[in-house]
Amino acid sequence: MNRRSGAILVLSGPSGAGKSSLIGKITDQIGPTYFSISTTTRPMREGEKDGVHYHFVSIEEFKHEIEQEMFLEYAVVHGNYYGTSLGPVKKALNEGKLVIFDIDVQGHDAVQNRLHDITTSVFITTPTLAELEKRLHSRSTDSEEVIAKRLEMAKREIQRISEYDFLIVNDNLDEASEILVSIAKAARMKIPTLQINEFVQTWEAT
Amino acid sequence: MNRRSGAILVLSGPSGAGKSSLIGKITDQIGPTYFSISTTTRPMREGEKDGVHYHFVSIEEFKHEIEQEMFLEYAVVHGNYYGTSLGPVKKALNEGKLVIFDIDVQGHDAVQNRLHDITTSVFITTPTLAELEKRLHSRSTDSEEVIAKRLEMAKREIQRISEYDFLIVNDNLDEASEILVSIAKAARMKIPTLQINEFVQTWEAT
């Protein structure tokens, strides 16, 4: 009973807060996982691979998938479409995996609306806006214009931290990853409402 | 920021589900904790100690504490008063401890109402009612009448499992305790809303 079903871990937070490093550090400590890969219409960046970092598709293809209701959620950010296809998520849940989403606050909203009973959410951020700006400049993958957009988006997203189950202030990667491991292990223990109702109904009779 | 404040872990579930054994098994694995000791007017059982298992008081004393608003919650069960004094809980939270409550569904309600932002709750039960009955008979600390009352109460409490964050079906003590350790470690990471609001307000400015 306790371990049969999969569950969802949503990670949000500004680009530059260290989500990718954190995920990389904890993956071998938290059991079977499936990292949800987003589908996007934005141009591929240097070093990115189709099917690894994103499923890169054309705007026409993306709109077709919207019409077919194949997205768990989708959003338009900085003029580009980003979305999460339902199929692979359901498959991973059926296999009992912890499905990890790296999505923004809009995506989090959508996941909570559809799958709230098995979802745990974590907002990951730098200690300050100044620190975020510093990190974005030092990794030098983005233009000044993109950095400015990211900072504006971060300011808006920070206002919605209280919608998340947990906040991790990533000022120390070891400490932050230890916290995230604990949260991920507990996240896996969420049981779908349907399964709980079934348990309650049969508890007395069996 | 991440670790400064205390948090609350509520454990509920029928007598006989194995809460005490579970708690005993995990205490050395989950960091600094404070086990909330209830105050009660019920007679002391053989082997129990005042200030260890309960604070045993008279009905007059209990009613006086109610008038002084010294209880986080209290309830009447099987004709006896049970309550949780606020003072030690606040002290332990200020010391950054995980405060563990072993309380019923009414108590859980009260804690959620007052301290929901830092509370994680777990319902612990046997796989079936028949198994609970078997365990209550085999431990032979209760009279037939008390066992019958406990079973009736269990049937009512089971209906409210969905109010809890997690369900643990204790059919294997090792597995159940491993799950509870994960949940307890994550529970400690809950941050009070006040502290989150403060963080959000200063994030941009610092």
Side-chain angles (χ1 to χ4, degrees):
Chain A
M1 168 73 197
N2 287 312
R3 282 165 191 278
R4 262 176 232 158
S5 42
I8 291 172
L9 180 65
V10 169
L11 306 179
S12 300
S15 289
K19 273 176 295 174
S20 304
S21 312
L22 265 173
I23 292 171
K25 217 172 143 61
I26 70 161
T27 40
D28 56 342
Q29 300 171 60
I30 57 172
T33 50
Y34 166 73
F35 288 90
S36 176
I37 300 165
S38 299
T39 303
T40 185
T41 61
R42 82 147 163 76
M44 208 184 291
R45 289 185 204 147
E46 205 182 306
E48 285 184 338
K49 277 184 188 164
D50 186 32
V52 177
H53 299 87
Y54 285 95
H55 300 295
F56 293 95
V57 299
S58 67
I59 293 181
E60 289 68 35
E61 287 174 273
F62 202 103
K63 287 187 173 167
H64 178 73
E65 287 197 34
I66 294 173
E67 281 160 22
Q68 303 292 312
E69 298 187 349
M70 285 163 72
F71 285 114
L72 176 62
E73 53 92 25
Y74 70 94
V76 187
V77 183
H78 307 158
N80 296 310
Y81 284 82
Y82 294 81
T84 307
S85 301
L86 262 174
V89 171
K90 283 189 178 168
K91 182 169 173 289
L93 290 174
N94 286 337
E95 291 165 356
K97 290 182 177 161
L98 182 68
V99 178
I100 302 183
F101 287 100
D102 177 356
I103 46 179
D104 66 10
V105 293
Q106 292 179 56
H108 173 233
D109 251 9
V111 173
Q112 289 288 8
N113 286 341
R114 298 280 283 271
L115 296 159
H116 132 268
D117 54 343
I118 52 168
T119 297
T120 302
S121 62
V122 185
F123 196 94
I124 299 167
T125 181
T126 52
T128 63
L129 175 64
E131 173 66 21
L132 180 65
E133 197 170 351
K134 204 178 103 189
R135 287 193 205 171
L136 285 175
H137 277 113
S138 72
R139 76 178 187 183
S140 60
T141 49
D142 302 316
S143 67
E144 283 303 314
E145 197 195 333
V146 169
I147 289 178
K149 272 187 186 166
R150 290 199 191 289
L151 294 174
E152 278 315 304
M153 192 177 159
K155 285 185 205 172
R156 286 199 306 275
E157 290 207 337
I158 287 287
Q159 302 302 322
R160 297 177 63 180
I161 288 181
S162 62
E163 295 171 23
Y164 285 76
D165 297 315
F166 295 97
L167 165 64
I168 296 181
V169 179
N170 185 15
D171 46 4
N172 176 311
L173 190 62
D174 286 333
E175 188 189 286
S177 62
E178 199 188 313
I179 295 173
L180 191 55
V181 166
S182 297
I183 294 169
K185 283 184 176 175
R188 192 185 286 284
M189 303 307 156
K190 287 267 181 186
I191 299 174
T193 307
L194 269 177
Q195 208 176 322
I196 289 188
N197 292 344
E198 199 183 301
F199 176 81
V200 168
Q201 278 159 27
T202 57
W203 187 79
E204 219 175 297
T206 48
Chain B
M1 169 72 195
N2 288 312
R3 283 165 191 278
R4 262 176 230 156
S5 42
I8 291 172
L9 180 65
V10 170
L11 306 179
S12 299
S15 290
K19 274 175 295 174
S20 305
S21 311
L22 264 174
I23 292 171
K25 216 171 144 62
I26 71 161
T27 40
D28 57 343
Q29 299 170 62
I30 57 171
T33 50
Y34 167 73
F35 287 89
S36 177
I37 300 164
S38 298
T39 304
T40 186
T41 61
R42 81 148 164 77
M44 208 183 292
R45 290 186 203 146
E46 207 182 307
E48 285 184 338
K49 276 184 186 163
D50 186 29
V52 176
H53 298 87
Y54 284 94
H55 300 294
F56 293 96
V57 300
S58 68
I59 292 179
E60 290 68 33
E61 288 174 272
F62 202 103
K63 287 186 173 167
H64 178 71
E65 287 196 33
I66 293 173
E67 281 161 22
Q68 303 292 310
E69 298 185 350
M70 284 162 71
F71 285 114
L72 176 62
E73 54 91 27
Y74 70 94
V76 188
V77 182
H78 307 158
N80 296 309
Y81 284 82
Y82 294 82
T84 307
S85 301
L86 262 176
V89 171
K90 284 189 177 169
K91 182 169 172 290
L93 289 175
N94 286 336
E95 291 165 355
K97 289 182 179 160
L98 183 67
V99 178
I100 301 182
F101 287 100
D102 177 355
I103 48 180
D104 66 10
V105 293
Q106 291 178 57
H108 173 233
D109 251 8
V111 173
Q112 289 287 8
N113 286 340
R114 299 280 284 269
L115 296 158
H116 129 269
D117 54 343
I118 52 168
T119 297
T120 302
S121 62
V122 186
F123 196 94
I124 298 166
T125 181
T126 52
T128 62
L129 175 64
E131 172 66 22
L132 180 66
E133 197 169 353
K134 204 178 103 188
R135 288 194 204 170
L136 285 173
H137 278 114
S138 72
R139 76 178 189 184
S140 63
T141 49
D142 301 316
S143 67
E144 284 303 314
E145 196 194 337
V146 169
I147 289 178
K149 272 188 188 166
R150 289 199 191 288
L151 294 174
E152 280 313 306
M153 191 176 160
K155 285 184 207 173
R156 284 198 307 275
E157 290 207 335
I158 287 286
Q159 303 301 322
R160 295 177 63 181
I161 288 180
S162 61
E163 295 171 23
Y164 286 76
D165 297 314
F166 295 97
L167 163 66
I168 295 180
V169 179
N170 185 15
D171 46 5
N172 175 311
L173 191 62
D174 286 333
E175 188 187 287
S177 62
E178 199 188 313
I179 295 173
L180 191 55
V181 166
S182 296
I183 294 169
K185 283 185 176 174
R188 190 184 287 284
M189 302 307 156
K190 287 267 183 186
I191 300 173
T193 305
L194 269 177
Q195 209 176 322
I196 289 189
N197 292 344
E198 199 182 301
F199 175 81
V200 169
Q201 278 159 28
T202 57
W203 187 78
E204 220 176 299
T206 48

